[in-house]
Amino acid sequence: MFNFDGVSLQNIVVHNVGNKSKEEGVQLSKTLLNLNDDLIQDLLLKYFLSSFKTDAFFQFAHDSDVNLNEVYHYVDQIFENPDSFYDQSVNIAKHLYEASHHNKIKGGEFYIVHFTDCIVEDELADAVGLFKSENKDTYLRVYQQNNNFNIDYADGININKLDKGCLIFNTEKEHGYKVCIVDNLNKSSQAQYWRDDFLRVKPYENNFYHTQNYLTMCKDFVDEVLSEEQEVERPEQIALLNKSVEYFKEKEVFNESEFEQEVIQKPEVVEAFREYKEQYKEQHKEEADVELKFEDFEISSNAVKETKKKFKSVLKLDKNFSVYIHGNRDYVIKGFDEERQMSYYQLYYNDEK
């Protein structure tokens, strides 16, 4: 997806953006950073770019006109006129401050960076990166002094842990640019200010997005409809999840009719699945302002790899046993022992390893 091998760090400036509800203010640098040390540049590139590994893209959005989206507008000015980089960085920092109004948001260094020679989905483009460091780590420093070794400590940034990041690629401007986001802190409401209040983006509709959404919808269907409350046994749930993943791993193009026949199979379950799918589409359209595509689309193998991590194939029995089910559902049979007044499972297999 990304190739940053030949990327160049063109311009960089650092401001400090505090919490507005605490009136911490914005501290603005007077000039751009002057980086003459190649090692520092390499470390910064690692810090800024190494966390971007997913094919999940976003695009800037606005209720009426994307040109009224502040970050879109300021970044667009940088792409159109790179000499305006510093002035637009000030505008972006001030806008971030206005969005930092939840009392739990931490202040921190805010980096605005202009990159060139990025390759995204086989296309060469420059990019603007927005990065915020909200946490500091403590490091021990051992040094030699007068034939002895001393030790002290300092607070600094861990270059392997990017707190918040955003890359805006100079491509598909008419659709709100192609945007990639990192938020490694937490998923609580106050953390979503980065995506929802500051950037104001919506998902970018591509094959990764469609694949991820369909698999997620399948998981939610099992959790909410084919639940144990509806007297559907856990092995049955796991079997459907496993078959869903296997279908997406084996096929190159998704076909809904084929999926229903090969994976869901039972007519009554197919009917329930179709009803749930329509509800899911309507709810998602209201929340994300995106029309889900549940018909023919090319399957993204990266989306399958990323989404299947959320699919649990474990049958937990009290605190005594955890059974991983990856194969034929018919080899797992549930029963009840009247004498012991306990449930049991019979597992059928050929080889023991």
Side-chain angles (χ1 to χ4, degrees):
M1 181 192 67
F2 299 124
N3 186 337
F4 297 128
D5 290 345
V7 69
S8 297
L9 197 157
Q10 200 71 16
N11 287 313
I12 178 172
V13 63
V14 184
H15 306 302
N16 188 286
V17 178
N19 184 302
K20 185 177 181 182
S21 69
K22 299 177 183 177
E23 299 182 350
E24 293 175 342
V26 181
Q27 298 176 17
L28 300 171
S29 294
K30 298 299 183 184
T31 60
L32 304 184
L33 273 179
N34 186 14
L35 296 179
N36 295 319
D37 190 316
D38 291 341
L39 177 58
I40 292 180
Q41 286 202 41
D42 290 342
L43 290 173
L44 284 173
L45 287 173
K46 178 181 180 181
Y47 175 55
F48 292 143
L49 303 178
S50 61
S51 294
F52 290 91
K53 300 174 182 178
T54 177
D55 285 336
F57 285 101
F58 296 84
Q59 61 195 84
F60 289 111
H62 192 273
D63 292 340
S64 57
D65 185 348
V66 71
N67 290 288
L68 299 177
N69 180 302
E70 290 88 342
V71 179
Y72 172 90
H73 174 73
Y74 299 142
V75 170
D76 183 58
Q77 295 301 305
I78 294 174
F79 288 142
E80 292 293 327
N81 178 19
D83 291 338
S84 70
F85 176 80
Y86 175 80
D87 291 337
Q88 300 306 331
S89 79
V90 171
N91 291 332
I92 296 171
K94 291 180 178 178
H95 173 58
L96 176 59
Y97 182 66
E98 292 300 317
S100 303
H101 45 72
H102 194 286
N103 60 6
K104 290 187 178 180
I105 292 173
K106 296 180 180 179
E109 290 82 20
F110 181 48
Y111 306 81
I112 300 92
V113 189
H114 189 189
F115 302 101
T116 57
D117 300 326
C118 302
I119 297 178
V120 54
E121 295 188 323
D122 298 324
E123 182 178 0
L124 184 66
D126 58 338
V128 169
L130 310 176
F131 312 96
K132 190 181 177 196
S133 173
E134 297 182 350
N135 288 322
K136 296 289 191 299
D137 287 343
T138 300
Y139 297 90
L140 292 176
R141 183 172 70 97
V142 180
Y143 61 96
Q144 190 172 7
Q145 185 179 46
N146 298 328
N147 295 322
N148 287 315
F149 287 95
N150 287 330
I151 188 168
D152 62 12
Y153 69 92
D155 289 336
I157 297 170
N158 186 337
I159 63 170
N160 297 309
K161 292 167 57 178
L162 178 65
D163 289 339
K164 284 180 167 59
C166 169
L167 284 175
I168 303 112
F169 296 98
N170 190 9
T171 179
E172 303 202 25
K173 171 183 175 179
E174 66 278 9
H175 298 300
Y177 287 121
K178 191 172 286 186
V179 181
C180 200
I181 299 174
V182 168
D183 189 345
N184 283 327
L185 289 184
N186 56 67
K187 307 300 179 184
S188 60
S189 58
Q190 68 266 21
Q192 294 176 7
Y193 82 96
W194 179 254
R195 185 190 68 187
D196 298 336
D197 298 335
F198 170 55
L199 296 171
R200 286 200 284 176
V201 292
K202 66 179 182 179
Y204 182 90
E205 298 178 58
N206 57 6
N207 291 326
F208 181 96
Y209 179 74
H210 297 314
T211 302
Q212 187 178 57
N213 264 301
Y214 206 96
L215 278 170
T216 301
M217 190 265 294
C218 291
K219 179 181 181 301
D220 290 350
F221 170 72
V222 170
D223 291 342
E224 298 175 20
V225 179
L226 295 188
S227 61
E228 293 181 82
E229 288 78 6
Q230 300 298 324
E231 298 183 351
V232 179
E233 296 178 354
R234 181 61 183 155
E236 193 75 29
Q237 299 172 21
I238 293 174
L240 182 55
L241 292 176
N242 287 340
K243 286 162 61 177
S244 299
V245 171
E246 286 303 312
Y247 176 91
F248 276 85
K249 286 172 64 177
E250 294 172 358
K251 306 291 184 178
E252 294 184 358
V253 177
F254 175 80
N255 180 278
E256 192 165 40
S257 297
E258 182 184 69
F259 179 81
E260 291 179 353
Q261 293 173 8
E262 295 185 9
V263 176
I264 303 179
Q265 298 178 338
K266 297 179 180 179
E268 65 275 14
V269 181
V270 170
E271 185 62 30
F273 182 75
R274 289 175 179 174
E275 292 180 7
Y276 182 83
K277 179 185 64 179
E278 293 306 316
Q279 296 172 6
Y280 188 91
K281 288 173 66 175
E282 194 63 32
Q283 180 183 0
H284 199 87
K285 185 176 181 180
E286 292 177 2
E287 293 176 352
D289 191 28
V290 175
E291 185 74 41
L292 294 182
K293 185 177 182 180
F294 281 169
E295 298 170 359
D296 297 345
F297 55 84
E298 292 184 16
I299 292 174
S300 165
S301 58
N302 287 337
V304 177
K305 291 177 184 177
E306 186 168 315
T307 311
K308 75 174 184 178
K309 298 174 184 176
K310 303 175 184 177
F311 284 49
K312 305 300 181 184
S313 301
V314 184
L315 176 63
K316 294 185 178 181
L317 308 176
D318 298 331
K319 295 182 179 180
N320 299 316
F321 305 101
S322 292
V323 181
Y324 289 82
I325 301 176
H326 302 293
N328 195 321
R329 164 68 179 92
D330 296 335
Y331 296 160
V332 182
I333 299 177
K334 187 175 182 179
F336 186 80
D337 189 312
E338 294 288 349
E339 181 178 344
R340 299 186 182 184
Q341 288 295 295
M342 295 177 70
S343 299
Y344 64 85
Y345 278 100
Q346 291 178 327
L347 307 179
Y348 293 87
Y349 64 93
N350 291 312
D351 299 316
E352 182 175 338
K353 296 180 181 179

